[in-house]
Amino acid sequence: MRTMINNGDGETAVSAKRFSLNFFLRWEWLLVALIIVVVIVNSQLSPYFLNTRNMMRATSDFMEMGLMMLPMAYIIITGNIDLSVASIMAMCASLLGYLHIQGVNIWVAAIAAILLGVLGGTLNGFLIARVKLPALVVTLGTYAFFRGIAYGLLGDQAATGYPSSFTFLGQGTLGAIRFPFSAVLFIFFAIIFGLVLHKTIFGRYLYAIGNSEEAARYAGVAVGRTKMSIFMLSGFMSALAGIVIAARFGSTRPDVGTGLELSVITATVLGGINILGGSGTMIGAILALILIGLMRFGMGLVNVQGQVQSIAIGLLLIFSILLPNLAQQLSRRSIQIRRSTVLSTATMLVLLGFFIWFFFWSRAAILSQ
Amino acid sequence: MKKNLLSIFLLLALLLALVACGGNTNNESTSAPETNAPETTATEPEMEDATAGGGGNYVLVPKNLGNPYFDTANVGAQEAATELGVKVTYQGSSVADATEQIQLLNSLIAQNVDGLAISANDADALVPTGKEAIDAGIPIVTWDSAIAPGGRTVHINQAESQGIGAVQIQMASDLAGGEGQIAILSATSTAPNQNEWIGYMEEELKKPEYAGLELVATVYGDDEDEKSYNEAMGLMQTYPDLKVIISPTTVGIAASARAVQDAGKVGQVFVTGLGTPNQMREYVKSGSAPAFALWNPGDLGYLAIYTLNAIASGEIQGNPGDTFEAGKLGSYTIADDGTILLGPPTVFNADNIDDFDF
C-alpha cells in the first residue's frame, strides 16, 4: 500500500494499528474530506448548487482538462512533465477545423486530428527519451511550436458549422439527468488509465522510473520505450480533448484552451502525485479534478470573481505540497529538522489566515455591490 | 503514534478552519443576527432566492476584469440600473478567454439570473452556451463583441463603419480649417476594420464640403509604437505642408501625437483619429491632438442594460422592428439583422476629456 504521507525513517515493521492509521492519513482521504466540506459549504451558500442539471452542465466544462490529466499523471509519476498538452489540443482541434472547412468528412478529419496528436506526442517522446533532453525544456519548446501550427492552420478565422452528430461529443447528454457524454468518455478512460497504472507491470515501471531512472534501467525496465509511449499517449489524449472541446464549442479557434496545461498540472499535483516523480495515485488525481471543479462551480455561483477563484485554487495547491511535507518532518526527531517544522507550521498558519481573510474579502466585495 | 496523531490534528484543524470560514461567510452574507451558529443557515437559500428570483437581476459580463474600458461600461450599466431600479452585477473571468467565460456563463445560467449582457471572447464558441441560456428563458444581449446569431437575443453595435469614417474626416476638416494636405497612418495593411474605415473616409472625401482636403498618403505603422512613430516622422518630412494626420488605431494615434510634439510641430500639424481618453489626455492638452473620436463605452453599458431590461420585462420580444426607450439615450429600434446601433461616435476634446476615465 503506497502512502502519500511517507515515513522518511524507512520503518519497515508496520503494526496493524499503524497500518490502518496510515491508511486514513492518505492524501486521498483528505481530498474526500475537502470535497465534502466544499459540497456542504457551497450548498449552504447557494440554493443552485445541489441541482443535478446545473452540476451536469458544469461538469462538461472540466472534461477536456480531465482527459489530459490522465496521461499527465503517468508523465509526472515518471518524474517528467508535459507543458505542451493544451497546445497539442489546440493544434489538433485546428486541424479538425481546417479539414472541415476544406470539405473533408468530419470523422475523417477527427481521425486525422488524432493521428496528428500522436505524432506530436511522438516528437516530444523522441526528444525526451531518445535524444535525452529534459522534458521541461522540450515541451516548453513544443508548447510554442504546436500552438504556432494551430495559428498557421486557421489564422485569425474560426472553423464553424460542425454537424450535430459531431457536436454531440461535447454537447450531448444522456438520460433524464442530462449526464454529459464527454463525462462518459472521461470515466471510460479514467478506469483504463487507473487499472493500467495500479494493476499492470507497465504501471509499476512508471513508479520505478520515477523513483530512480538509473535503478529502473539496471533492473531491466525499458526506460526509453516506456517514456516514449507515455508521451505518445499524452498526444493521443490531448487530441481527443481537442475533438471534445471543438464539439463542445461547435467551433474552433487556434487560441482555444490557452493556459489549460497549467490547470491540468495543478489538478495532477493537487491529487497527491509527487511532482518529483515516484508516487501518487490515479484516484487522487481524479478526486482533485472533482474538487477543483466543485470549488470553481461553487465560487461561480456566489459570484466570486475569476481572479479570486484562482487565488483559492493556488492556495489549496500550496497547502497540498506543504501538508505532506510537514507530516513527514513531524515524524522525524532531529532538532535541526524541528526548526524547519516550526517554519513550515508558521507558513501554514499564515496561509490559513490568508485563506480565511480572503474568503471574507471576496464575499465583502460582492455584498458591497 | 504520537507523530501520526499530530498529523491528524493538523488535518482536523485545517478542515475545521474551512468549515468555520464557510459558516462565517454565511453569517456575514445574510447579516443574520444569530452569532457563531453555522447551523442556522437553513433560511439562507430562501433569502438568496428572493433577491435572485425577484426579477431585474442582470449580469454585465465583460471580456475580462481589470480593463478600464469595461469598467467604464460598468459605470454606465450601474447608472442604468439605478434609473430602472434593477440590480446589475459586474462579473467576468480573470483572462479574456472563451473557456473561462463559458464556465462563468454556466454558473450564471445555473443561478437563474434574469438576463445577461455579454462582451464575447469568441463569437462562435459561445453560441451553444448562449443558446442554452435562451432556452432556459434568460435573454442574451451582446455588446462590444458579439456572439454569432443563434447564441444571442440582440447585439448592440457600438458604431457603424460609415459613421466612424465620417467623423474622422469631419474632425480632420475642422482641424485643417477646411483645406490642406492630410495623411492616414493605419495599423497593418491587411487589418480588416481599418481598411473598411479608410474606404469610407475616401468616400467621404469626395463630398463637395471636403473638396479642399487632399489625401497625400496612407502609411502603415503595423500597430507598433516605434514603427508608427517613425512613419509619422517620415510623413512630416516628406510633406512639409501636411496639416493633419488621421490615425484610426489607438497605437498609431498616440505615436503620431508624440511624433508631432517631438518634431516641435504642435499647432502646425494636428493628429486625430480613434483613441482612448486616458492614452490621449496629455496630447489633447498639449494641442498636438486636439480632438479624437471613439464610441463611449459608458453609453454602451447603459444601453445594454436598458435593452436587456426591455426584453426581460416583456416590453419587447427582441425581434427586428421592436422599438424601446433607453433613458437619456432616447429611442432605439432593432434593425433587420437583430442589432441595435448605439449612435455616432463621441468626439473627445479639451472640453470633455476630463469627464472620462478609460
Side-chain angles (χ1 to χ4, degrees), chain B:
Chain B
M1 196 61 227
K2 204 173 160 193
K3 339 162 194 173
N4 276 330
L5 277 177
L6 262 171
S7 316
I8 292 178
F9 277 132
L10 264 170
L11 299 191
L12 280 178
L14 176 66
L15 288 181
L16 274 175
L18 274 172
V19 174
C21 79
N24 285 338
T25 4
N26 269 345
N27 287 342
E28 190 188 52
S29 68
T30 52
S31 32
E34 297 93 341
T35 46
N36 297 328
E39 255 70 46
T40 58
T41 47
T43 53
E44 204 209 357
E46 287 162 10
M47 290 192 60
E48 294 230 340
D49 218 14
T51 50
N57 183 25
Y58 306 125
V59 186
L60 186 76
V61 182
K63 279 186 177 171
N64 63 319
L65 292 174
N67 181 332
Y69 177 86
F70 293 121
D71 292 348
T72 307
N74 183 37
V75 172
Q78 297 304 336
E79 188 188 334
T82 314
E83 289 173 16
L84 289 166
V86 298
K87 181 171 167 243
V88 173
T89 316
Y90 183 56
Q91 256 299 11
S93 47
S94 49
V95 288
D97 168 65
T99 322
E100 284 213 16
Q101 199 169 32
I102 288 171
Q103 269 180 35
L104 171 72
L105 293 180
N106 274 339
S107 72
L108 293 173
I109 297 168
Q111 287 175 61
N112 215 359
V113 294
D114 297 308
L116 295 167
I118 303 167
S119 170
N121 278 314
D122 187 326
D124 303 297
L126 262 66
V127 171
T129 315
K131 209 179 278 174
E132 192 143 3
I134 294 169
D135 288 347
I138 302 171
I140 304 260
V141 170
T142 56
W143 52 280
D144 175 60
S145 172
I147 301 178
R152 69 176 196 226
T153 317
V154 288
H155 173 64
I156 298 170
N157 257 334
Q158 51 249 34
E160 54 175 352
S161 299
Q162 198 191 344
I164 294 177
V167 74
Q168 293 184 78
I169 294 300
Q170 170 76 52
M171 289 187 299
S173 176
D174 291 349
L175 291 171
E179 57 177 352
Q181 292 183 338
I182 63 169
I184 296 173
L185 192 151
S186 184
T188 61
S189 59
T190 55
N193 283 346
Q194 271 78 13
N195 284 349
E196 200 184 347
W197 296 332
I198 291 171
Y200 280 112
M201 286 189 222
E202 285 165 353
E203 284 292 307
E204 199 71 15
L205 281 171
K206 288 181 188 150
K207 288 186 178 170
E209 63 258 45
Y210 300 127
L213 296 177
E214 184 197 356
L215 178 62
V216 291
T218 301
V219 296
Y220 301 95
D222 294 349
D223 260 353
E224 287 169 27
D225 182 64
E226 199 184 325
K227 179 138 196 268
S228 303
Y229 179 87
N230 291 337
E231 288 289 346
M233 283 291 190
L235 280 174
M236 286 184 278
Q237 275 159 16
T238 320
Y239 305 100
D241 295 332
L242 190 70
K243 285 223 173 125
V244 177
I245 298 174
I246 303 175
S247 184
T249 159
T250 54
V251 178
I253 189 172
S256 304
R258 208 172 70 240
V260 168
Q261 274 185 0
D262 292 356
K265 294 204 170 187
V266 175
Q268 211 178 325
V269 179
F270 300 104
V271 176
T272 187
L274 302 180
T276 63
N278 282 354
Q279 162 207 28
M280 295 304 292
R281 193 168 323 243
E282 62 170 297
Y283 306 117
V284 167
K285 293 191 172 162
S286 79
S288 62
F292 63 94
L294 200 70
W295 45 90
N296 178 352
D299 287 349
L300 202 52
Y302 183 88
L303 179 56
I305 295 306
Y306 262 95
T307 312
L308 197 54
N309 190 59
I311 298 169
S313 65
E315 183 189 334
I316 59 169
Q317 295 296 312
N319 297 325
D322 286 353
T323 301
F324 63 97
E325 291 293 323
K328 64 173 184 186
L329 294 177
S331 171
Y332 283 89
T333 306
I334 301 176
D336 287 341
D337 56 354
T339 63
I340 296 168
L341 179 65
L342 175 65
T346 304
V347 174
F348 299 93
N349 53 35
D351 297 333
N352 69 358
I353 193 161
D354 283 334
D355 299 338
F356 296 93
D357 182 21
F358 70 92

Side-chain angles (χ1 to χ4, degrees), chain A residues 18-352:
Chain A
R18 188 65 175 276
F19 173 83
S20 66
L21 250 178
N22 269 341
F23 179 77
F24 284 106
L25 275 177
R26 287 171 61 116
W27 182 245
E28 288 77 2
W29 285 112
L30 180 65
L31 287 172
V32 171
L34 280 173
I35 288 173
I36 293 170
V37 169
V38 166
V39 168
I40 292 173
V41 170
N42 278 326
S43 56
Q44 294 295 315
L45 285 178
S46 169
Y48 308 106
F49 186 75
L50 291 176
N51 173 315
T52 333
R53 176 109 192 255
N54 289 343
M55 202 88 100
M56 289 302 146
R57 196 189 283 124
T59 301
S60 57
D61 290 345
F62 297 93
M63 287 304 105
E64 297 92 16
M65 210 174 122
L67 288 171
M68 293 190 285
M69 185 196 71
L70 299 172
M72 185 66 83
Y74 283 12
I75 289 173
I76 293 183
I77 283 172
T78 63
N80 289 286
I81 200 152
D82 188 351
L83 295 176
S84 70
V85 286
S87 298
I88 296 184
M89 183 186 88
M91 172 174 75
C92 297
S94 297
L95 179 72
L96 177 100
Y98 175 79
L99 292 175
H100 176 68
I101 294 173
Q102 303 300 315
V104 177
N105 178 288
I106 192 74
W107 300 106
V108 177
I111 291 168
I114 294 274
L115 289 176
L116 182 65
V118 174
L119 199 69
T122 311
L123 176 66
N124 279 337
F126 176 78
L127 292 172
I128 293 160
R130 301 276 175 245
V131 188
K132 301 207 178 352
L133 299 172
L136 187 74
V137 182
V138 167
T139 57
L140 190 61
T142 52
Y143 156 85
F145 175 65
F146 294 146
R147 181 70 72 178
I149 293 179
Y151 278 100
L153 283 166
L154 283 180
D156 59 359
Q157 60 173 334
T160 56
Y162 299 134
S164 60
S165 61
F166 175 76
T167 54
F168 182 83
L169 289 175
Q171 296 173 23
T173 55
L174 305 171
I177 61 161
R178 300 175 69 90
F179 195 76
F181 178 76
S182 54
V184 176
L185 211 60
F186 170 71
I187 292 168
F188 171 76
F189 279 103
I191 291 170
I192 294 181
F193 271 78
L195 287 178
V196 168
L197 180 64
H198 297 298
K199 298 289 177 203
T200 67
I201 296 170
F202 181 81
R204 275 202 289 284
Y205 284 175
L206 297 179
Y207 288 108
I209 294 170
N211 278 316
S212 165
E213 197 172 316
E214 237 11 57
R217 188 170 285 123
Y218 284 123
V221 176
V223 173
R225 207 187 309 155
T226 310
K227 277 202 207 167
M228 185 89 185
S229 56
I230 53 174
F231 278 98
M232 286 170 72
L233 210 54
S234 180
F236 170 80
M237 292 302 285
S238 302
L240 194 67
I243 289 170
V244 171
I245 207 165
R248 177 156 72 93
F249 290 179
S251 63
T252 312
R253 245 175 240 276
D255 64 348
V256 61
T258 307
L260 199 59
E261 63 280 334
L262 295 182
S263 306
V264 171
I265 295 168
T266 302
T268 319
V269 176
L270 184 61
I273 290 173
N274 189 339
I275 193 74
L276 302 172
S279 66
T281 63
M282 195 53 89
I283 192 79
I286 294 165
L287 286 171
L289 182 73
I290 295 171
L291 179 64
I292 291 177
L294 288 174
M295 277 182 70
R296 279 211 174 258
F297 176 57
M299 287 190 284
L301 282 184
V302 292
N303 294 331
V304 173
Q305 309 249 326
Q307 296 101 321
V308 182
Q309 293 188 18
S310 307
I311 295 178
I313 306 278
L315 283 175
L316 194 66
L317 185 68
I318 296 175
F319 270 128
S320 79
I321 38 182
L322 263 181
L323 200 67
N325 221 11
L326 187 60
Q328 196 176 341
Q329 282 167 358
L330 281 173
S331 68
R332 298 182 183 174
R333 295 195 174 210
S334 101
I335 305 261
Q336 209 175 5
I337 290 170
R338 273 286 147 84
R339 205 170 293 147
S340 80
T341 306
V342 171
L343 207 66
S344 278
T345 317
T347 316
M348 288 218 24
L349 288 175
V350 168
L351 280 175
L352 203 64

